[in-house]
Amino acid sequence: MTVKLKLKDVKDKLKEDTLDLSLCDLEEVPVREIASLKKATNVNLSTNLLTSLPATFVTLKQIVKLDLSRNMLIELPENFGEMTQLKHLDLYANKISRLPLSLSELKNLKWLDLKENPLTEAVASVAGPCSNMRECQACARNIVTYLSNVKLVIEEERLRRLNNVTGDTDKEITVTKKEGKKKKRRNMERESKANGNKIDSPTQNKGCSQDDSDSTRLMGSPSNSMSTHKSCRSTGTRLCRSLTCVIVWFFVISSLLTVALVILSWRYEQQTDTFLQNAQTLSGLPLKNYHRQTTDCLLSIIKITTMQMKSIIDIANDFYKTQFEGETNDAGKEL
């Protein structure tokens, strides 16, 4: 037998801002009666026989704290997120397996209990245990964030599918246009051949020249096609050269700046060490180690370059002695 409460009975259960309708064997929520009690911001509907909430339940926007624990609710209304004033929601020990995406709109929700519900594994892991105040607060925060992300992913997927459908339609239109142009061109070629077979040879030559001019107008002259191809190729070449020059100049300038910094560090060793120490403290990077490695590398390069130059000079001196001094001695002997 369905239990229905009259307005007088509901009013009798209101104490200040708390409306206690628990343990009333309710199978339906008396929405109209509760809506008439604007002071009822704390509503307790726990331990009843509720299997669902009517869509009009969200009109009870004055509710701040709602207790629906120990019922038989299978799901919440899809528009449940319209109860924007809700801060405390107790759904303990129901039969809820899914949550409406509109629950992500409850930005004021600070407390949520979903224990003892057959939730999906993903939602249960997000909700957590909720065995104390801190965990229930975390549950509310995590569920709202999770459903917001799910809603965003669904919206992005919907837009992607819509774009794919639009893109496919555009492709079909483009293909149809191309096929129409090809068909028209083939018809023109057939007509040209038919007209050429009907007329005499002098006129035929004229017709051929006319067909050539028509085909030239349709397809574009070979010289224009070649010039366009060359222009595109030259543009690509210039772009590659410009990009190569930029890269080369970047490495040259970077190398010169590195060498200049190292040379300045030799001249102003104490100031450089102080600067590097401060910069390393601020950035957290091993700048002094980098500087030492760069200096060692530069010294190695200078040493190798000096050895190479010395070898070149020695080779040049030997060559000079072999060639020119030998020729001078030979000339002296002849004289």
Side-chain angles (χ1 to χ4, degrees):
M1 180 179 180
T2 303
V3 177
K4 292 186 178 181
L5 296 179
K6 297 181 180 180
L7 180 59
K8 181 178 180 301
D9 298 329
V10 173
K11 286 184 178 180
D12 292 340
K13 295 181 179 296
L14 177 65
K15 293 182 181 179
E16 296 182 357
D17 63 343
T18 302
L19 178 62
D20 189 358
L21 297 178
S22 62
L23 298 169
C24 293
D25 294 331
L26 294 176
E27 295 182 5
E28 296 180 1
V29 178
V31 176
R32 184 183 303 175
E33 288 76 9
I34 297 175
S36 65
L37 305 176
K38 299 299 182 182
K39 294 182 180 180
T41 58
N42 181 358
V43 178
N44 186 355
L45 291 166
S46 65
T47 318
N48 281 291
L49 304 175
L50 301 175
T51 57
S52 64
L53 299 178
T56 56
F57 188 84
V58 297
T59 59
L60 305 176
K61 298 184 183 297
Q62 79 273 16
I63 298 179
V64 176
K65 184 176 181 180
L66 177 62
D67 190 350
L68 291 168
S69 62
R70 291 186 172 86
N71 278 282
M72 293 181 290
L73 294 173
I74 299 173
E75 60 182 7
L76 298 177
E78 292 296 331
N79 59 348
F80 194 80
E82 295 179 14
M83 302 184 68
T84 54
Q85 300 298 322
L86 198 61
K87 294 182 179 180
H88 185 112
L89 178 60
D90 193 344
L91 296 172
Y92 171 77
N94 278 277
K95 297 181 180 181
I96 297 174
S97 59
R98 58 176 295 273
L99 298 174
L101 290 177
S102 64
L103 209 67
S104 61
E105 303 298 326
L106 300 181
K107 304 301 181 181
N108 293 322
L109 191 65
K110 306 299 181 184
W111 196 96
L112 177 62
D113 190 353
L114 290 170
K115 293 193 307 295
E116 301 299 327
N117 280 282
L119 300 172
T120 61
E121 185 177 354
V123 176
S125 62
V126 171
C130 191
S131 57
N132 53 50
M133 177 66 72
R134 183 177 60 82
E135 291 178 349
C136 291
Q137 291 175 347
C139 175
R141 183 171 58 251
N142 294 339
I143 287 294
V144 171
T145 303
Y146 172 76
L147 293 177
S148 299
N149 293 335
V150 172
K151 188 176 180 181
L152 182 62
V153 170
I154 292 175
E155 183 65 20
E156 290 177 351
E157 180 66 19
R158 186 185 67 82
L159 292 175
R160 187 184 66 80
R161 291 182 178 179
L162 181 62
N163 291 334
N164 289 339
V165 172
T166 305
D168 292 340
T169 304
D170 293 339
K171 288 180 181 178
E172 290 177 359
I173 293 173
T174 304
V175 170
T176 304
K177 288 183 177 179
K178 288 182 178 179
E179 290 178 352
K181 289 181 179 180
K182 289 180 180 179
K183 187 176 181 180
K184 186 177 181 181
R185 190 177 301 164
R186 287 195 297 268
N187 292 334
M188 291 179 66
E189 291 175 355
R190 290 196 191 101
E191 291 178 0
S192 299
K193 291 180 180 179
N195 292 331
N197 292 331
K198 290 180 181 179
I199 58 180
D200 297 332
S201 58
T203 313
Q204 186 175 0
N205 293 333
K206 185 178 179 181
C208 289
S209 62
Q210 185 176 359
D211 291 340
D212 292 339
S213 63
D214 291 339
S215 62
T216 301
R217 285 197 301 271
L218 288 171
M219 302 299 293
S221 63
S223 60
N224 291 337
S225 178
M226 290 293 291
S227 61
T228 303
H229 180 68
K230 289 180 179 179
S231 175
C232 294
R233 186 168 58 185
S234 61
T235 302
T237 304
R238 286 197 298 270
L239 181 62
C240 291
R241 287 178 180 176
S242 301
L243 183 60
T244 304
C245 290
V246 170
I247 294 173
V248 169
W249 276 110
F250 173 76
F251 281 108
V252 169
I253 293 172
S254 301
S255 302
L256 291 176
L257 287 175
T258 303
V259 172
L261 288 173
V262 172
I263 292 173
L264 287 174
S265 67
W266 292 344
R267 176 67 178 83
Y268 304 99
E269 184 176 356
Q270 184 176 359
Q271 291 85 343
T272 303
D273 187 67
T274 303
F275 171 77
L276 289 174
Q277 183 64 37
N278 294 333
Q280 180 170 305
T281 303
L282 292 174
S283 64
L285 297 174
L287 298 179
K288 296 182 73 175
N289 188 22
Y290 294 159
H291 178 262
R292 184 172 63 257
Q293 291 179 358
T294 304
T295 304
D296 294 341
C297 183
L298 184 60
L299 289 174
S300 300
I301 293 171
I302 292 173
K303 184 177 179 181
I304 293 171
T305 304
T306 304
M307 293 175 64
Q308 293 294 333
M309 290 297 294
K310 186 177 179 181
S311 299
I312 293 171
I313 292 170
D314 291 340
I315 293 171
N317 288 334
D318 293 339
F319 179 77
Y320 176 79
K321 289 178 181 180
T322 304
Q323 296 295 327
F324 294 99
E325 289 184 0
E327 291 179 0
T328 303
N329 293 333
D330 292 339
K333 289 178 181 179
E334 290 176 0
L335 291 175

